[in-house]
Amino acid sequence: MPSQSEKDPYKRSTKPTKDLKAADKHERGKRDGEKKDEGRRKLRPMHLFLLFLILAVPGYWVVNSLLGYSTIDTSSGLALLKSAKGVERVTIIDGNQVVQVRLNRDYVRAPRIAGESEYNAGKRVQFTYVTAQAKEVNELVQKANPKGGYDSVVPTTSWWSSFLQILLLSAVFLGAMWFVMGRMQGGSRGGLFSIGRSKSQIGSKEMPDVTFDDVAGVDEAVEELQEIREFLSEPAKFKAVGAKIPRGVLLYGPPGTGKTLLAKAVAGEAGVPFFSMSGSEFIEMFVGVGASRMRDLFEQAKAAAPAIIFVDEIDAVGRSRASGATTGGHDEAGQTLNQMLVEMDGFGTGSNVIVIAATNRPDVLDPALLRPGRFDRQVAVEAPDMAGRLAILKVHAKGKPMTDDVDLALVAKRTPGFTGAELANVLNEAALLTARANAHMIDNRALDEAIDRVIAGPQKRTRVMNDHEKSITAYHEAGHALCAAAGAYSDPVTKVTILPRGRALGYTQVMPSDDKYSVTRNELLDQLVYAMGGRAAEEIIFDDPTSGASNDIEKATAIARRMVTEYGMSDLLGTVRLGKNDDGDAMASLGGPGYSEAVSAQIDEQVRALVESAYQDALQILVRNRPVLDRLAQQLLEKETILEGELAQIFTPVAKQPKRPRWHGGELEALNAQVDAIADPDWEQLEAHAKAEKQLESGSELGSGAESKDAGELESGAEIESGAEIEAGVELDGTSELETEANSEPVAEAYKSEETGRD
């Protein structure tokens, strides 16, 4: 067995070089300096206001202490009144129980305990008293009889003081609200007063950084958007022939196919401002904010026309208003959608503002949004085909050094159904693995590992299985691979491994040789067979199945249920669509599945029959090819991973399953004879019948009774002779139409590589 280091050449290196350490230290210092400069630049008026409030309170107390009365002990104050030395005026404040005394000299209190220093209270002192001391204080004041007299004051609040207090409290409250709202708005400039402003990011028209050269694999979408670019750069060309460019373009497709990149490329090619904003940014906690931001966004774009407005994930605000997702009230998303519809209708005929939107769910958008005059141009951005994947790989391979034996065409062939983002991730993972191994060139081993990482996740090197569990996993994966290889309609097996990766203890890759856009009934049945192959192998070899086949059973059940309820491939239920398409609506599921309990029982019966039949077929394949099963499992235990070339040699003695009989569904089997009868129609009889019809029509126009009679007889005879051929010809046309519709419907499962593994 090879060592762990030999099996994993891309093991993470733990010895960075001194240059890397120095560069990293320099980069951290640069970032820290940028953060400090940014912190200095972000000194806003709000911060100055808060600083003023912080300094105002202590400043008030300092000024009050310098200009006001110093507080002394009650005992010292009473003694001062008894002596009456230097007392010029006394003021008694009733209610606060304070006595204020003005002296003609500073009052200095002698130390009362050891270590205490003298205390100079100044010429203005005050002291407090309790209610029981009020009579005594009154008597002492009268006996002192100060030169300036004495006064008794009942404290009242002046209007000026009340106004200042209210003003101060209001300022503190508004400052706090301003700070909180600024934080909730993400620190945007303007704070509370810019809540209705749009948060669009404006691209520079002087420096476009994305063009159509950066977009690959979506040639049809680029062709559709070329005229948008030409209209923005050369509007006179279209106005000369009276053409009106679409006001809105909707880009829809799976995530990662390049919708946002396409919108940026249009702006980059045309050299116009690009206003980008996400649909979720219109929705805030306040009612009416979304509509206000929508108005502001369109105003900015009109002021900078010609321009492009790009709204990403428009389904956040453009969801259908009739879906029942809301239960009354003033829906914020609906209000924002209404404002968007109004703004798009308000475009003048000469307006050079084009709205481009992107979404992954075009089926949930409001119909008013998709009518002509709004988003009347809908461009599908689908997953690329093999040529498109190769072009995308070449774009992302720029700047990445690769060995001479790397063939990107083989990488494109191994990644059917991958989107542009996934392909970019594959090359990036390969580059990371190369750097981790301290290598300088990306090779095929790095690309192979990167593809496995994107498909199934990173390898679990710390998960160590005992010999028995490893043997179960080997036979499980061998069962999958053998059933796939024996299927008459299944795709070739490209890889089998028992190395734990992601949540699987092992997995089998079954990839189509070419791109597929639909899947046949026989192919689906073969998928059921090799999905159940792992469970069947466990029972044959060990007589004790494990829980590792749970994911396989789940996949097989899902395929069988779609065959019955969606694809119309059931003998009992026929070609009907069972169930409702809720389109992601949470309220749609409240009405039930859309069919009766009796039909539900029939669905379960048909699903069980399909899975059980596939399981029996898997058992027959494995029993008939038991030597091949044992050999493949032994090879997996030794090598852990087997690729397509070695698998082809192992599967040489395996005979393909016989093709299944022709299936028409339900009562259509009775029409096989008629279908065979019209395989080679008698064209002479058909031409004779056509001539008889023409003669009959001409005889009717002349009004000859004899000719009409003869023509009628001729017509009757023609019908007797060729009635069967005519009827059969109609059935042939109908069959051809059904086949065309079936081939035109895409099936997602055929677009991706098929993977089955043991959990």
Side-chain angles (χ1 to χ4, degrees), residues 84 121 130 204 237 305 323 371 389 460 704 737 751:
V130 296
S204 174
K237 173 183 175 182
S323 61
R371 75 158 176 82
R389 292 195 298 273
K460 302 290 186 179
S704 174
E737 183 179 356
Y751 216 41

Side-chain angles (χ1 to χ4, degrees), residues 176-188 191-192 195 199 283-286 293:
M177 288 293 297
W178 195 346
F179 177 77
V180 172
M181 295 303 302
R183 299 293 294 178
M184 293 178 61
Q185 294 298 312
S188 60
L192 181 64
I195 188 173
K199 300 180 179 180
I283 308 301
E284 294 284 354
M285 64 177 292
F286 299 102
R293 289 180 176 174

Side-chain angles (χ1 to χ4, degrees), residues 509-523:
Q509 284 186 358
V510 182
M511 290 188 177
S513 302
D514 300 317
D515 293 322
K516 286 187 173 182
Y517 303 96
S518 63
V519 62
T520 65
R521 180 177 179 271
N522 287 315
E523 291 174 344

Side-chain angles (χ1 to χ4, degrees), residues 38 40 147 186 237-238 286 344 361 377 475 514 528 535 593 602 606 695 700 705 726 739:
E38 186 179 359
R40 298 189 188 101
K147 296 180 180 180
K237 173 183 175 182
F238 294 85
F286 299 102
M344 295 187 71
R361 298 290 306 279
R377 179 68 59 86
Y475 273 99
D514 300 317
L528 292 178
R535 173 66 176 266
Q602 292 177 345
Q606 290 290 295
Q695 291 178 3
S700 300
I726 297 170
E739 291 177 355

Side-chain angles (χ1 to χ4, degrees), residues 314-349:
I314 194 174
D315 52 281
V317 296
R319 188 176 293 268
S320 177
R321 293 166 290 183
S323 61
T326 58
T327 57
H330 203 66
D331 184 24
E332 176 68 8
Q335 186 180 5
T336 306
L337 174 60
N338 292 336
Q339 185 63 43
M340 185 175 186
L341 299 177
V342 172
E343 292 291 342
M344 295 187 71
D345 285 340
F347 282 176
T349 56

Side-chain angles (χ1 to χ4, degrees), residues 550-591:
S550 61
N551 186 251
D552 301 329
I553 297 175
E554 180 182 356
K555 290 181 178 179
T557 305
I559 293 175
R561 187 169 294 276
R562 285 196 296 268
M563 291 176 63
V564 176
T565 60
E566 298 181 20
Y567 305 152
M569 300 178 181
S570 171
D571 295 325
L572 182 61
L573 297 171
T575 54
V576 293
R577 176 109 163 63
L578 299 172
K580 300 183 295 183
N581 186 12
D582 57 1
D583 296 332
D585 188 0
M587 303 292 293
S589 59
L590 299 179

Side-chain angles (χ1 to χ4, degrees), residues 220-243:
E220 294 84 358
V222 172
E223 184 179 353
E224 291 290 332
L225 294 175
Q226 281 284 359
E227 63 183 26
I228 305 295
R229 189 267 305 171
E230 293 179 0
F231 175 78
L232 292 173
S233 58
E234 304 175 12
K237 173 183 175 182
F238 294 85
K239 294 180 181 179
V241 295

Side-chain angles (χ1 to χ4, degrees), residues 686-702 707 711 714-715:
L686 294 177
E687 291 177 356
H689 176 70
K691 291 179 180 179
E693 286 184 343
K694 290 181 180 180
Q695 291 178 3
L696 178 63
E697 292 176 358
S698 60
S700 300
E701 293 176 357
L702 295 174
E707 292 180 356
L714 181 60
E715 181 185 9

